Amino acid sequence: MTYPSQSIIQWTKDNAKQLLPDAVFLSLLHRKRIGRFPKLFHPTTYNEKILLRCLRPDSRYSALTDKLTVRDYVREKIGEKYLIPIISAPSDFTQNIFDMLPNSFVMKANHGNNFVEIVRDKSQQSFDHLQLLASQWLSTNFYKNARERHYRGIQPRIYFESLLLDEHGMIPADYKVHCFANGSGRPVMFIFVISDRFGSNTRGDTYDAQWNRIDLEFAPYVRSTRPAPRPNNLELLLDTAAHLSEGFDYVRVDLYSPSDRVFFGELTFTPGAGVSPMLPDRVDYEWGRLLT
């Protein structure tokens, strides 16, 4: 008797998953990663409420999730100086475009997460490699990854940004500010900091608005052995996030702060697609109470 190969079995499973309705797909994924089935009709946890946002997104989400079109929103709310300069956003990535790029830059795609390629020295990079990478990104239907429905409305594009470096010549830390609306006052904010994101010692730490490190891990990031120093411009970071979160019950505002300047990264309305483990698990319920 001939048995199907492991690759064929996996291919069959992957294709079968794509046939599942969005709610079923996300519920099964939630069960696998969080350890319980989500309560879709009476959600109580942060992940459950984020999952529902994936299935019933606000009509504003697509344009503000698109990393190119969101720049208009940021420009209007807080000004051009907070935007990372764009070198090029071509309709087609060609050899001529590559030749015109500076020695260092970042290549990104606008329609999903982790579409990032850092180029510190163009002489050590090839057009063919970047073109292949760009083609792979553009052919990726990000909505199908985790059924975040607002991604369906984003037209994939490649673009090139200036490379941000801190005073040590390193990629700056990523400040992911979770903003929960709090009536008419300043939102309740928690700052998830990813350090050395593209290096060999990546860490993720969560702080409250007073820069007290809290007992929380977001998988797969491991906490640092000790808290990071309080940023000199913490209030500016928080004010920037608060302004950009106005009008939303909840949004995660991603910022960078090389040499005490503040640059906008992105807005994320469904972090982790509602299937992101939080340790300890009680924080999933605590943040769920904040997200109304």
Side-chain angles (χ1 to χ4, degrees):
M1 180 180 294
T2 302
Y3 294 96
S5 68
Q6 198 64 34
S7 59
I8 293 176
I9 293 173
Q10 187 60 49
W11 180 87
T12 303
K13 287 182 177 179
D14 291 342
N15 279 272
K17 289 178 184 177
Q18 296 305 316
L19 298 176
L20 294 174
D22 292 348
V24 175
F25 178 93
L26 282 170
S27 294
L28 292 174
L29 195 55
H30 189 283
R31 171 67 176 84
K32 179 180 179 180
R33 294 186 178 175
I34 308 296
R36 56 180 171 267
F37 283 106
K39 293 182 289 184
L40 297 182
F41 295 103
H42 300 287
T44 56
T45 70
Y46 166 79
N47 271 296
E48 287 170 346
K49 292 179 179 182
I50 292 297
L51 189 152
L52 279 183
R53 284 180 161 214
C54 295
L55 299 173
R56 289 181 286 200
D58 187 304
S59 61
R60 298 171 291 177
Y61 289 177
S62 284
L64 296 179
T65 299
D66 183 322
K67 294 176 178 59
L68 287 173
T69 58
V70 70
R71 293 171 64 90
D72 292 333
Y73 172 79
V74 174
R75 190 177 290 111
E76 181 180 336
K77 290 287 287 185
I78 58 176
E80 183 81 29
K81 68 179 182 178
Y82 292 94
L83 292 169
I84 301 172
I86 282 188
I87 301 165
S88 179
S91 56
D92 188 29
F93 181 36
T94 64
Q95 179 72 54
N96 285 340
I97 296 294
F98 177 78
D99 292 342
M100 291 169 55
L101 293 171
N103 185 57
S104 62
F105 56 87
V106 181
M107 183 174 82
K108 295 183 176 180
N110 67 321
H111 67 296
N113 296 326
N114 298 319
F115 295 143
V116 180
E117 180 75 1
I118 294 172
V119 176
R120 287 177 172 267
D121 182 357
K122 192 171 74 168
S123 68
Q124 303 300 311
Q125 188 58 270
S126 72
F127 165 68
D128 290 339
H129 169 74
L130 293 183
Q131 186 187 48
L132 177 61
L133 194 59
S135 297
Q136 291 171 344
W137 292 351
L138 292 175
S139 64
T140 299
N141 185 333
F142 196 78
Y143 150 70
K144 289 186 176 180
N145 287 356
R147 308 300 177 89
E148 296 166 275
R149 288 179 172 173
H150 52 291
Y151 280 96
R152 292 185 297 189
I154 301 176
Q155 181 65 39
R157 289 186 64 186
I158 296 295
Y159 65 103
F160 300 88
E161 282 184 347
S162 297
L163 174 62
L164 296 183
L165 298 174
D166 64 18
E167 60 271 22
H168 305 293
M170 304 294 290
I171 304 297
D174 194 347
Y175 294 88
K176 298 181 179 295
V177 189
H178 295 263
C179 301
F180 297 87
N182 185 30
S184 59
R186 198 183 205 186
V188 176
M189 292 184 277
F190 297 95
I191 312 139
F192 182 59
V193 183
I194 302 178
S195 55
D196 198 27
R197 180 180 172 187
F198 300 98
S200 59
N201 190 37
T202 305
R203 291 290 183 268
D205 299 276
T206 308
Y207 302 86
D208 64 17
Q210 290 71 47
W211 203 253
N212 300 303
R213 188 165 69 159
I214 64 176
D215 181 20
L216 174 60
E217 284 189 13
F218 283 99
Y221 297 99
V222 177
R223 295 209 303 170
S224 303
T225 55
R226 62 177 64 89
R230 176 191 175 102
N232 296 326
N233 61 346
L234 177 61
E235 287 306 308
L236 177 58
L237 284 164
L238 296 177
D239 285 345
T240 302
H243 283 307
L244 291 175
S245 71
E246 288 174 354
F248 297 101
D249 292 337
Y250 165 81
V251 63
R252 196 190 75 200
V253 182
D254 292 6
L255 303 170
Y256 305 99
S257 185
S259 303
D260 291 339
R261 295 187 64 186
V262 174
F263 289 96
F264 171 77
E266 64 181 89
L267 296 181
T268 304
F269 297 94
T270 54
V275 295
S276 180
M278 304 170 74
L279 302 173
D281 183 59
R282 61 175 169 76
V283 183
D284 202 358
Y285 291 88
E286 292 171 0
W287 282 26
R289 290 191 287 272
L290 293 173
L291 209 174
T292 56

